[in-house]
């Protein structure tokens, strides 16, 4: 499986938001809906700071 | 490997921009730098429309 883990980055520290993210979709302005491989969902407010897919990381920032 | 392929979506049609993308990083306002697993790079103007990591897809739109 090639899902990724989502992190919030603040002051260069990464805090795990959600593991095993499959889908990332815009949720209105300034927010993203994360959907996990088991259908679990989470809304993240912020911007996408970057992705590192080989490391399975999606980074967000406020 | 868990890289993804990047597509531009226009009128519901997906056009392949780049295969085997590892890194996605903001490139100023309104653009993204894609870096492939072999170090190749491409700048994409637009927004991220969504990601489907299990399907290895990153979708952009203008």
């Amino acid at each position: 499986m090639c899902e990724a883990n989502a992190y919030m980055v603040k002051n260069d520290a990464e805090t795990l938001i959600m593991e095993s993210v499959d889908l990332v979709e815009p949720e209105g302005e300034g927010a993203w809906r994360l959907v996990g491989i088991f259908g679990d969902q989470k809304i993240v407010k912020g911007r996408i700071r970057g992705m590192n897919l080989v490391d399975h990381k999606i980074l967000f920032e406020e």
Side-chain angles (χ1 to χ4, degrees), chain A residues 9-46:
Chain A
V9 182
K10 198 170 179 179
N11 300 327
D12 288 327
E14 299 176 356
T15 305
L16 182 65
I17 302 170
M18 186 170 158
E19 289 184 298
S20 302
V21 175
D22 172 18
L23 300 176
V24 180
E25 302 170 328
E27 178 72 15
E29 283 295 314
W32 297 85
R33 176 190 299 271
L34 310 181
V35 183
I37 55 173
F38 300 112
D40 47 318
Q41 299 194 10
K42 197 171 270 190
I43 306 296
V44 179
K45 289 185 183 174

Side-chain angles (χ1 to χ4, degrees), chain A residues 1-7 20 51-58:
Chain A
M1 298 293 282
C2 284
E3 69 280 1
N5 299 321
Y7 298 84
S20 302
M51 283 174 258
N52 185 324
L53 296 174
V54 172
D55 283 352
H56 298 244
K57 282 188 175 184
I58 307 171

